[in-house]
Amino acid sequence: MNSPIATSNIFEELDLSDASESSGSNYLPEGEHSVELVSVEVMNTAAGDKALKLHFADSTGKEAGHMLNLFNKSEQARDIAKGQLKGFLIKAKYANPDKPFPNGNLEAIVGLKVNVIVGLDRNKKYHEVKSYKPYKLKGLDTNTSGEPNDDIPF
């Protein structure tokens, strides 16, 4: 049996000389990861509301995102999103977590570092940020506040 691909030779002209090598998925797998916030964007939701999307990347460039429904029609959804954003800002030791965007500047929080817990979304299709922890790189504590670190096992 001849394959339609084999008989049509559609791959004969394929040129990969301008393609970069890929090692697979560029998304962070489930688990805890040390990341930096690399960008923030305003998105339209399926319901027509506006949401804030946080884009994180680890030191290898693998990514994870977190959609915050700050402008949802549902007050409960807005409250959850506000709590998630404030939790991120506090864990990242942001100077003013109550007013994070001076003059509306979304870029003010880019560069903040945290650890994220990545898990599957509610439909079990996509990886997404589930929660935040203070930043630690490869198990090293980056707490410079002088306060005791309760995460150290004895």
Side-chain angles (χ1 to χ4, degrees), residues 1-153:
M1 174 186 256
N2 287 338
S3 162
I5 293 174
T7 59
S8 67
N9 293 321
I10 62 173
F11 292 101
E12 187 174 343
E13 299 297 320
L14 181 63
D15 181 359
L16 300 178
S17 61
D18 62 346
S20 300
E21 180 181 356
S22 174
S23 60
S25 172
N26 199 40
Y27 297 103
L28 290 169
E30 291 180 77
E32 184 172 343
H33 305 277
S34 301
V35 297
E36 179 177 342
L37 182 66
V38 294
S39 68
V40 180
E41 74 179 300
V42 176
M43 305 274 300
N44 291 318
T45 68
D49 299 316
K50 298 286 185 198
L52 195 65
K53 180 140 189 202
L54 306 179
H55 296 274
F56 297 94
D58 71 2
S59 61
T60 68
K62 291 208 180 261
E63 302 171 351
H66 194 181
M67 182 82 79
L68 300 168
N69 290 309
L70 294 167
F71 305 101
N72 194 288
K73 292 173 184 72
S74 162
E75 183 178 356
Q76 181 181 13
R78 290 191 309 269
D79 288 346
I80 290 168
K82 287 177 182 180
Q84 290 171 329
L85 178 58
K86 189 166 183 176
F88 159 65
L89 296 167
I90 289 169
K91 297 289 193 277
K93 299 180 174 71
Y94 188 65
N96 191 356
D98 290 329
K99 297 284 188 176
F101 306 116
N103 301 317
N105 179 11
L106 298 180
E107 298 295 313
I109 63 172
V110 170
L112 294 177
K113 295 181 179 184
V114 292
N115 278 25
V116 293
I117 306 300
V118 174
L120 291 175
D121 69 347
R122 72 178 112 172
N123 298 318
K124 307 234 183 277
K125 289 184 178 183
Y126 304 104
H127 289 132
E128 67 181 6
V129 173
K130 295 293 190 180
S131 63
Y132 300 98
K133 291 184 170 186
Y135 183 72
K136 289 184 185 181
L137 185 58
K138 295 183 183 177
L140 300 175
D141 186 6
T142 58
N143 177 7
T144 57
S145 68
E147 296 177 15
N149 183 347
D150 295 335
D151 293 339
I152 300 173

